Amino acid sequence: MPDSLKVPCSIDNLKDIRSFITKRLQELSVPELEINMMILAVDEICANVIIHASHSTNQSLEITVKEETDGISFEISNEGNAFDINAYQAPGLEDIVKNKRKGGLGLILVKKIMDKIEFRKENNHTVCRLFKKVSFVNHSA
Amino acid sequence: MKLTSEKENDYFIISIEGDLDASSCINLDKIISEAVSNGEKKIMVDCSRLSYISSAGLGVFMSYLQDFEANKVSMVLFGLSEKVQNVFQILGLDQLLKIVNTKEEAKSLINA
C-alpha cells in the first residue's frame, strides 16, 4: 500500500482520508486505540486546512504516513498558507460553551493527542507534520 | 452518516448512524435546532450506531448547552461505543454533557 494519499481539498474527502490512515496504521501494527486517536488528530488538521486555508477544490491535499523508529509521523501538505496551530491559543471549554462556538475543540484535541506538531513552508506548500510516539505490537512477529 | 428522529411519548429521539465529521455535522445541527424551535424538552440521542465523531460533531452538542439551559431542555446521549466515548473524555466533555449507557438510563436521567 502506498504511504501517501492525494485528494482534492473538499470536506467530502475526509472519510477517504480516514480510511487510508486506518489501513496504513493497521499495516504498521499500531494498537487499535492509538489508531483511533491518530485518525482523529489527522482528520482535525485536514478539516481545518480544507475549511480555513483553501477556498478552491482545485487545490489538493496530500497526506503521508511514515513509520519512524519510535513512532509514526504524518505530513499533511497543501498549497497555500495553513493555519499554524502552535501559534493559536485554544479557547477554554467555558469560553466555547458561553460563546456557543462550534470550532476550537479540534485543535485542543490535536494538541492533546500528538507529541509533536510542526509547520514548515516548502516551495509553495505548507506542510504540517504530526508525530506520535508508539509502542509497536507484534513488530518482531 | 444517516440521521433519523422519532417521537416516543414526550421524548424526541435522534439516532445517528455512521461518521459524524466536519462534512456531516451540519445535518445534526439542523435537527437539534428544529427540535429546540419546536419546543422539544426531552431529547435523547441514540449513539449506538455512531462509529466516529470528530470535533465538528462534538461542537454541535456543545453549542446548544446554553440554549438547553435557557429553554429547560434536557438532552441525554446514550449507547456510545468505547471509541466514541473516549473522544468526549479526552476533552472532559463527559462532565458537561449527560452521557449514559442505555435508553432506559437516559429516560430515568431526563425525568430525574
Side-chain angles (χ1 to χ4, degrees), chain A residues 70-117:
Chain A
D70 55 345
I72 301 281
S73 72
F74 303 87
E75 288 201 341
I76 298 128
S77 165
N78 80 303
E79 297 125 68
N81 295 310
F83 179 62
D84 184 349
I85 72 167
N86 289 316
Y88 172 74
Q89 181 70 43
L93 285 183
E94 267 181 33
D95 182 38
I96 288 175
V97 175
K98 214 172 102 195
N99 297 310
K100 301 181 186 177
R101 297 172 61 132
K102 289 197 173 70
L105 290 169
L107 303 176
I108 305 177
L109 273 176
V110 180
K111 286 184 178 179
K112 283 193 190 265
I113 294 168
M114 289 293 171
D115 293 307
K116 231 185 256 172
I117 305 164

Side-chain angles (χ1 to χ4, degrees), chain A residues 115-132:
Chain A
D115 293 307
K116 231 185 256 172
I117 305 164
E118 295 161 334
F119 281 83
R120 64 171 194 271
K121 287 290 260 183
E122 220 171 72
N123 303 319
N124 58 342
H125 284 67
T126 303
V127 182
C128 170
R129 180 179 182 274
L130 305 172
F131 173 78
K132 175 76 179 166

Side-chain angles (χ1 to χ4, degrees), chain A residues 3-140:
Chain A
D3 63 2
S4 72
L5 173 77
K6 195 170 183 175
V7 291
C9 237
S10 156
I11 51 169
D12 296 334
N13 291 319
L14 288 172
K15 202 172 165 71
D16 288 343
I17 294 172
R18 292 196 296 272
S19 75
F20 161 73
I21 305 277
T22 307
K23 283 183 201 140
R24 188 78 186 105
L25 294 181
Q26 280 170 345
E27 217 174 57
L28 297 171
S29 303
V30 176
E32 196 63 31
L33 198 68
E34 306 235 26
I35 290 184
N36 296 330
M37 289 297 104
M38 289 187 241
I39 290 169
L40 180 60
V42 175
D43 186 44
E44 298 293 348
I45 293 287
C46 292
N48 196 276
V49 168
I50 293 168
I51 293 164
H52 296 109
S54 304
H55 302 286
S56 154
T57 45
N58 295 332
Q59 288 193 23
S60 58
L61 191 66
E62 187 166 6
I63 299 100
T64 308
V65 183
K66 272 188 203 149
E67 184 181 15
E68 312 275 349
T69 50
D70 55 345
I72 301 281
S73 72
F74 303 87
E75 288 201 341
I76 298 128
S77 165
N78 80 303
E79 297 125 68
N81 295 310
F83 179 62
D84 184 349
I85 72 167
N86 289 316
Y88 172 74
Q89 181 70 43
L93 285 183
E94 267 181 33
D95 182 38
I96 288 175
V97 175
K98 214 172 102 195
N99 297 310
K100 301 181 186 177
R101 297 172 61 132
K102 289 197 173 70
L105 290 169
L107 303 176
I108 305 177
L109 273 176
V110 180
K111 286 184 178 179
K112 283 193 190 265
I113 294 168
M114 289 293 171
D115 293 307
K116 231 185 256 172
I117 305 164
E118 295 161 334
F119 281 83
R120 64 171 194 271
K121 287 290 260 183
E122 220 171 72
N123 303 319
N124 58 342
H125 284 67
T126 303
V127 182
C128 170
R129 180 179 182 274
L130 305 172
F131 173 78
K132 175 76 179 166
K133 269 189 205 153
V134 177
S135 323
F136 291 102
V137 287
N138 304 327
H139 225 123
S140 54

